[in-house]
Amino acid sequence: MKTIFVGYLKCFIVIVALVCIHVVGVSELQAQTADRQIQGYVIDTANVRMDGVTVRLTSEFDTLVTSTSSAGYYEFTPVKGKNVQISYSMLGYQIINKQLPVAARTGFYMMPNVVLTPQSSLIEGVYVVKTVPVIYSTDTVQYNMDAFSFRTNSLLEEALKKLPGIRVSRDGIVYAQGKPILSVRVDGKKFFGGDVLTATRNLPADFIAKLQVINSYGENASNTGMKTNEPEKILNIVLKEDRKRISFGQVTAGGGTSERFIGSIGVNRFDDGQEFSVVGSINNTNTSLFSFGSPNGVGDRDRSLYDATDFVDPTDGLNNIKSVGFNFSDNITTNTQFNGSYSFTRKDNVTRGTSWLRSNYIENLISNQESYQTNNDDSYHRFTAELKHKFKNEDLLEIRPVFTYNKTYTGNSRERQIDNNQISNRGTYRDTSYSKNPNMDVNVVYSKAFQKPGRKLIGNVTLNFNSNDELEDVLDRYITVDSSTGSPTVSNFEQRYFIQKDNGSDGMKVSLSYVEPFSDYSKLELVYDYQLTDMTTRRLVEDKNKTEELGHFYYVDSLGVNYNYRFSSSKVGLNYQYTPNSNVRANIGFAVQPLKLVGNLPAEDLIYSYRNVNLVPTAGFKWRINKEIDWSIDYRGKNNQPNFLHIIPVRDNSNSQNIIVGNPELKAEFSNRISTTFRKFITARSQYFETNFAYNFVSNKIVSDKKAYTTSTIQETTFKNADGYYDLKWYYLFNTPIFNESLQLDLVGSADFYNNLSYVNDERNKTEQFIYSQSLQFRYNWSDYFETLFNTNYLLNHASYTWPYATEITAHSLLFSAGTKGYLSDYITLGAEMSQRFNSGYESSFMNSNPTIINAYMEFSFFNNKAAVLRIQGFDLLDQNKNMGTYSEYIGNDLYEAKNNRLGRYFMVTLNVRLQKYPKKK
């Protein structure tokens, strides 16, 4: 594998070198004969290129005005004068004036990037008229924090809850304009590798001048200016000028009933671009420092915007969490930037629960009821680094390694009762496993700069090395009562396996992108991508009962695996982007993607091979109709390869009642997605509206193929490809002040429809699922004395499936929640929050519970600048959160519902002390 990587890497370097030499020669020849031109780019404090900035050039012979394109680019030609002055202006930003150096008399001059800094609107020397609270632009929503009021020493997480269009769930997930924030930067630099929780739970709100929610199209789009990917939400935090050189930190300690405890410490130093932070925590109150990479407790569910204002604790089981991490960032030289972070989390989780699984076959209804306890001890290390260097010729090199190491112990004990029409099984299933999972990702990007504006050559190499070693001890024991005969018969079953697994995955992706501008308005991108993934899996299964009987190790050959799998694809494509002005952007592209999947069983001398050629068209159109309305429509195609579980060619009966059989002849999926978004914002009224509709259909969808037999409770699952899957998704959101900015209204709604496919006893089954949610939220702030929130959510979950007969299930959930905080004085705060949920329509009685959650607290502030806070709090006063770990799923002919334990009522006293130190003035 290493030889293959080295070979492809050498080829990549040679190609880049040859193209660079050719293009540099052409560009230098053009520079000698071109008219005098002046070009440049305008960016904001997050290093995002700005659209629509007014650029004005004056000299003794010239007066020229233009505006920047969607890529932040501007150009003046021809320029006759020598004493050139250039000004840059945009509403909500400081005006920047630049002068062309006297020595710049060549036919071409590239201005250094100009950074626009946001500012408040002032009447000079008299009054601050108003700081515009929110500024909406094409791909950025900016919150000017001075326009909002926050209590002294509030952390960013609390401040975010007051911003229109932003919601924060109880476990710290931040949603902006209906979508989760995936990464965080501070002054354009990643903070703790971009981790969201670390930033929101450590940075004080009064340190922050601006918050920018950015639609990021990826690093490649930033380099090339070609925005063809699906955008993701990232958050950039712009610090106040007087907070860029400061040392600050906090210490928290607390204890309470039910043996609850918490302790945390954070130390941070910011020094004009150099940042250093150390944080640590130990607690059993489900308080996390790091949001990604942290070990998941058993039963953890995906969060959604629907749950953002529910006051339950969403983590299943009881958890003891230990975390520590550090982050360092600095400009090593004028042109070199480095940042690195390390985090460690250890999570001990104990989850107890019950579940019910009903599988409906013709004349055979299988019911599986379980009570279980799962113990997890999960240790997770994560190291990230990023090095950026800009050469004198404006070339850019970026190196981003990420290393993770995960070590997990899992103990799973289940008491289960399985019944069908004539057979009953009652027994125990125990599974103990130890696993180690190191993972290494390295991404290297080289961007070649040219004198011709807009011309780009980008090379990108990504390497991934992943390994997973696991030891598993399985005990499966039960008693069977068979009533299918004249008189019931009783039999015993016991199976003890010791399983050794060794899985590895090595991958490489090489891409080369060349962008050539045709004119001031259009550019063409030639793209080549090569992807290679090698996966190997080895499994050795010992039958411990046979080993004891025979006196030597006995391995089950039919369950052993020695399997190699390779996925490779090459994609060649063209993308054309047309930007006639700052209001319109259109792109169209087409790519050809040959791919090959090869599976190899060396022991049996078998090879499984699949080849295909995907035609991948892409298209997009974005129109800024006016300063307050924009509309976009996009189409994208994507290839999805099968995973290990799907393709391993072995009959895995380590769980004797649920046998899994892989299918090595599976084809790769190909998904097609069409989406359109409409946005309208009225800055004068601080109103924002957005709606999106998306249609996705998948060719060769990988689906389950289940079988059961009338005389047995055993189910067998394999996988196959099927056509006909599609889904439709729609959402909208609207936020506006009512009467004044102290009272905010948020409306959010969504509707999703899934046309799922599966096979049951070789019969095609279609499961249609419709999920609708509607949320309404009021937030009211009365000066610095009182703030409150009221929220109501409704959720409809309707599922219908066609086999073995038409069946429909409709479940409803209604949530009311309210929270309030009052300030009795500058030093005493009272707070309370309550949520009431109503559930109906579920099959199991425990799913239809209607819990009431009430939390309350009192805070006392003291010391100078309220640096210390004593907090007395009660969580879940009615002790009903512990019954809230419910989960339901409807797939194929399966209906699954489960309930897990959660953190119950406790009372706690905590003391938090915050420290700040400003350096001596230079």
Side-chain angles (χ1 to χ4, degrees):
M1 185 64 201
K2 292 182 179 178
T3 304
I4 295 175
F5 284 149
V6 172
Y8 279 113
L9 191 58
K10 288 181 179 178
C11 292
F12 167 71
I13 294 172
V14 171
I15 292 171
V16 171
L18 292 175
V19 175
C20 289
I21 292 171
H22 172 72
V23 176
V24 168
V26 173
S27 61
E28 289 180 352
L29 181 61
Q30 291 177 342
Q32 294 174 4
T33 60
D35 294 333
R36 182 170 181 178
Q37 300 176 353
I38 297 175
Q39 297 99 6
Y41 289 89
V42 181
I43 61 176
D44 62 15
T45 51
N47 202 32
V48 175
R49 293 173 181 174
M50 300 184 64
D51 180 11
V53 177
T54 300
V55 186
R56 187 171 186 269
L57 180 148
T58 60
S59 73
E60 62 268 32
F61 301 117
D62 306 284
T63 301
L64 305 173
V65 179
T66 188
S67 61
T68 57
S69 68
S70 60
Y73 169 72
Y74 65 92
E75 176 184 5
F76 293 107
T77 182
V79 177
K80 301 177 181 179
K82 296 181 180 179
N83 300 316
V84 175
Q85 304 283 338
I86 305 177
S87 67
Y88 307 83
S89 61
M90 188 176 186
L91 180 64
Y93 292 85
Q94 296 179 11
I95 297 175
I96 302 293
N97 295 301
K98 296 289 185 179
Q99 182 174 359
L100 195 70
V102 176
R105 297 181 179 178
T106 60
F108 167 83
Y109 185 75
M110 188 72 180
M111 294 287 291
N113 286 352
V114 173
V115 181
L116 290 192
T117 303
Q119 75 167 8
S120 305
S121 301
L122 301 175
I123 296 179
E124 185 175 355
V126 185
Y127 302 102
V128 176
V129 175
K130 183 180 181 181
T131 300
V132 179
V134 187
I135 298 175
Y136 300 95
S137 61
T138 304
D139 288 314
T140 303
V141 178
Q142 178 174 288
Y143 297 89
N144 297 319
M145 300 296 276
D146 287 343
F148 303 91
S149 92
F150 310 107
R151 295 287 290 184
T152 303
N153 292 332
S154 294
L155 291 177
L156 175 57
E157 183 177 72
E158 290 300 314
L160 286 169
K161 298 176 182 179
K162 296 186 178 183
L163 303 182
I166 292 184
R167 294 193 183 185
V168 183
S169 66
R170 187 165 195 86
D171 51 353
I173 299 176
V174 181
Y175 299 89
Q177 289 80 53
K179 297 182 179 180
I181 297 290
L182 300 181
S183 181
V184 170
R185 300 172 183 173
V186 176
D187 286 336
K189 302 176 183 178
K190 289 184 178 179
F191 186 70
F192 274 92
D195 188 79
V196 178
L197 264 187
T198 317
T200 60
R201 292 185 170 176
N202 281 278
L203 296 177
D206 57 5
F207 282 26
I208 300 169
K210 318 289 177 186
L211 286 177
Q212 297 168 336
V213 178
I214 301 169
N215 284 334
S216 174
Y217 295 85
E219 295 289 342
N220 189 62
S222 299
N223 292 326
T224 64
M226 304 289 289
K227 299 180 179 181
T228 58
N229 297 324
E230 188 78 15
E232 297 178 342
K233 297 285 186 184
I234 66 173
L235 181 67
N236 182 56
I237 300 168
V238 182
L239 298 175
K240 295 179 178 178
E241 289 300 322
D242 61 349
R243 295 300 194 273
K244 293 182 185 291
R245 298 187 68 241
I246 187 174
S247 299
F248 65 98
Q250 64 84 26
V251 178
T252 300
T257 61
S258 302
E259 301 180 343
R260 300 299 115 197
F261 63 87
I262 186 170
S264 68
I265 186 171
V267 178
N268 307 268
R269 177 172 172 78
F270 293 169
D271 189 3
D272 286 336
Q274 184 186 87
E275 299 172 5
F276 179 76
S277 300
V278 177
V279 295
S281 175
I282 179 171
N283 69 86
N284 59 3
T285 60
N286 292 339
T287 304
S288 298
L289 284 178
F290 308 107
S291 52
F292 56 73
S294 58
N296 291 325
V298 172
D300 273 10
R301 314 299 180 200
D302 291 337
R303 312 292 184 240
S304 69
L305 185 59
Y306 174 80
D307 296 313
T309 50
D310 196 345
F311 294 120
V312 303
D313 188 310
T315 305
D316 287 351
L318 301 179
N319 302 276
N320 190 318
I321 304 173
K322 304 176 181 67
S323 304
V324 66
F326 72 85
N327 180 78
F328 176 76
S329 178
D330 193 13
N331 295 323
I332 300 175
T333 67
T334 304
N335 297 323
T336 305
Q337 182 186 106
F338 173 82
N339 64 72
S341 68
Y342 166 78
S343 62
F344 167 76
T345 299
R346 180 174 180 179
K347 184 176 183 178
D348 295 327
N349 173 277
V350 180
T351 298
R352 300 180 182 88
T354 58
S355 66
W356 181 55
L357 172 63
R358 186 188 71 188
S359 302
N360 202 344
Y361 297 86
I362 293 178
E363 299 180 356
N364 188 18
L365 179 65
I366 301 176
S367 174
N368 183 357
Q369 298 184 35
E370 296 184 345
S371 60
Y372 50 83
Q373 175 173 317
T374 302
N375 297 74
N376 264 26
D377 185 355
D378 203 334
S379 299
Y380 191 92
H381 302 262
R382 186 174 193 268
F383 171 78
T384 69
E386 185 175 50
L387 177 69
K388 293 184 179 181
H389 178 73
K390 181 177 286 188
F391 297 91
K392 292 182 178 180
N393 61 354
E394 299 297 318
D395 287 6
L396 183 65
L397 173 67
E398 300 179 40
I399 303 174
R400 292 186 290 266
V402 177
F403 175 76
T404 62
Y405 180 77
N406 189 206
K407 185 169 69 173
T408 304
Y409 160 80
T410 301
N412 183 18
S413 178
R414 295 176 177 267
E415 300 294 329
R416 62 189 185 186
Q417 175 78 36
I418 304 177
D419 301 286
N420 71 354
N421 301 335
Q422 298 174 325
I423 299 174
S424 176
N425 292 326
R426 182 177 181 85
T428 300
Y429 181 85
R430 294 178 182 171
D431 180 3
T432 303
S433 65
Y434 300 85
S435 65
K436 298 178 180 180
N437 178 214
N439 183 81
M440 181 71 178
D441 287 285
V442 180
N443 180 245
V444 180
V445 179
Y446 191 89
S447 176
K448 174 62 185 174
F450 300 96
Q451 290 187 350
K452 183 177 180 179
R455 178 180 288 168
K456 291 284 185 179
L457 179 64
I458 312 293
N460 191 324
V461 177
T462 301
L463 305 176
N464 171 262
F465 306 95
N466 181 277
S467 175
N468 184 52
D469 298 329
E470 183 176 344
L471 301 177
E472 186 177 8
D473 204 338
V474 179
L475 169 64
D476 191 356
R477 176 189 298 156
Y478 56 85
I479 298 175
T480 300
V481 178
D482 188 348
S483 303
S484 61
T485 58
S487 59
T489 60
V490 179
S491 60
N492 294 304
F493 176 87
E494 180 179 282
Q495 177 177 278
R496 291 194 300 154
Y497 285 158
F498 181 70
I499 304 171
Q500 303 175 59
K501 300 178 184 177
D502 180 11
N503 299 331
S505 176
D506 298 329
M508 175 182 68
K509 183 176 181 181
V510 178
S511 64
L512 193 64
S513 173
Y514 177 72
V515 179
E516 179 66 29
F518 274 81
S519 66
D520 295 341
Y521 313 118
S522 61
K523 59 180 69 174
L524 184 69
E525 180 186 28
L526 174 63
V527 180
Y528 173 75
D529 287 334
Y530 177 78
Q531 184 176 353
L532 176 66
T533 302
D534 270 346
M535 293 190 288
T536 60
T537 180
R538 294 177 177 84
R539 188 172 68 169
L540 194 62
V541 180
E542 177 196 355
D543 188 330
K544 298 179 71 173
N545 287 336
K546 283 285 188 179
T547 295
E548 292 180 1
E549 178 184 337
L550 300 174
H552 58 80
F553 289 113
Y554 180 85
Y555 296 100
V556 185
D557 293 337
S558 61
L559 298 179
V561 178
N562 182 8
Y563 183 66
N564 301 318
Y565 169 80
R566 168 170 288 188
F567 171 85
S568 60
S569 72
S570 300
K571 185 170 73 173
V572 179
L574 284 173
N575 295 313
Y576 175 74
Q577 183 168 292
Y578 177 66
T579 313
N581 53 56
S582 60
N583 297 323
V584 175
R585 182 179 75 239
N587 65 273
I588 187 169
F590 186 81
V592 179
Q593 183 186 34
L595 58 86
K596 181 180 180 181
L597 289 77
V598 177
N600 179 24
L601 283 169
E604 301 177 21
D605 197 25
L606 289 177
I607 296 179
Y608 303 92
S609 180
Y610 166 71
R611 295 174 181 267
N612 192 29
V613 177
N614 291 323
L615 305 179
V616 190
T618 59
F621 179 76
K622 189 161 190 174
W623 180 23
R624 192 169 187 180
I625 301 171
N626 56 44
K627 291 184 178 181
E628 296 185 335
I629 299 176
D630 63 56
W631 171 71
S632 64
I633 184 169
D634 295 281
Y635 165 79
R636 293 178 180 86
K638 183 181 179 182
N639 184 80
N640 302 313
Q641 57 177 306
N643 61 34
F644 265 131
L645 176 66
H646 295 141
I647 61 177
I648 296 176
V650 68
R651 192 171 186 268
D652 181 3
N653 68 344
S654 54
N655 184 338
S656 63
Q657 296 295 309
N658 186 14
I659 299 172
I660 306 295
V661 181
N663 180 6
E665 297 183 352
L666 282 177
K667 304 174 184 178
E669 299 179 347
F670 190 77
S671 64
N672 305 268
R673 187 174 188 272
I674 302 172
S675 66
T676 181
T677 302
F678 176 84
R679 300 193 311 162
K680 179 177 176 61
F681 34 87
I682 305 175
T683 306
R685 299 180 186 175
S686 298
Q687 292 179 336
Y688 180 81
F689 173 78
E690 179 178 320
T691 186
N692 172 273
F693 175 78
Y695 169 60
N696 181 54
F697 65 95
V698 181
S699 303
N700 292 324
K701 177 72 174 177
I702 297 173
V703 302
S704 63
D705 183 5
K706 296 180 60 180
K707 293 181 181 179
Y709 304 95
T710 305
T711 58
S712 172
T713 58
I714 297 174
Q715 300 182 69
E716 181 176 300
T717 303
T718 186
F719 308 94
K720 64 169 56 177
N721 294 104
D723 289 328
Y725 172 90
Y726 66 89
D727 60 66
L728 304 168
K729 296 185 178 184
W730 167 80
Y731 80 85
Y732 85 94
L733 60 94
F734 174 67
N735 56 69
T736 180
I738 301 178
F739 307 127
N740 56 56
E741 292 176 358
S742 297
L743 179 60
Q744 293 281 336
L745 168 66
D746 285 355
L747 288 172
V748 179
S750 67
D752 298 340
F753 177 81
Y754 300 90
N755 190 69
N756 282 304
L757 302 173
S758 63
Y759 283 82
V760 183
N761 280 356
D762 294 323
E763 295 287 338
R764 183 181 171 100
N765 179 33
K766 181 173 67 174
T767 301
E768 296 179 342
Q769 187 170 14
F770 176 72
I771 302 174
Y772 172 75
S773 68
Q774 177 63 58
S775 172
L776 178 149
Q777 182 183 94
F778 288 100
R779 288 180 290 184
Y780 177 67
N781 296 319
W782 179 40
S783 186
D784 290 334
Y785 303 102
F786 179 78
E787 58 189 64
T788 188
L789 174 148
F790 172 78
N791 184 80
T792 179
N793 288 338
Y794 170 72
L795 178 67
L796 167 68
N797 190 344
H798 175 82
S800 63
Y801 52 88
T802 59
W803 198 96
Y805 47 81
T807 305
E808 293 187 358
I809 300 172
T810 302
H812 306 267
S813 185
L814 180 63
L815 169 71
F816 295 100
S817 63
T820 185
K821 183 188 294 184
Y823 306 96
L824 301 183
S825 70
D826 289 341
Y827 299 95
I828 301 176
T829 304
L830 292 177
E833 54 191 22
M834 182 189 79
S835 65
Q836 174 69 60
R837 187 185 289 272
F838 300 94
N839 298 314
S840 65
Y842 296 96
E843 294 289 317
S844 303
S845 59
F846 62 75
M847 294 290 297
N848 293 314
S849 60
N850 302 316
T852 304
I853 307 297
I854 300 177
N855 305 321
Y857 63 90
M858 177 180 287
E859 289 182 348
F860 301 90
S861 302
F862 48 94
F863 291 163
N864 294 332
N865 200 26
K866 304 177 187 177
V869 177
L870 181 68
R871 181 184 178 105
I872 303 171
Q873 68 179 31
F875 173 74
D876 187 21
L877 299 182
L878 302 182
D879 201 24
Q880 295 187 14
N881 183 78
K882 61 185 180 183
N883 298 317
M884 280 297 294
T886 57
Y887 178 68
S888 64
E889 187 174 83
Y890 312 106
I891 298 178
N893 65 327
D894 287 343
L895 183 153
Y896 177 76
E897 295 178 346
K899 180 179 73 171
N900 294 327
N901 70 316
R902 288 184 175 176
L903 196 62
R905 176 174 54 203
Y906 67 87
F907 298 89
M908 176 173 278
V909 178
T910 59
L911 176 65
N912 174 263
V913 180
R914 300 186 181 280
L915 303 173
Q916 296 182 12
K917 180 181 179 181
Y918 292 88
K920 295 180 180 180
K921 294 184 179 181
K922 296 181 179 179

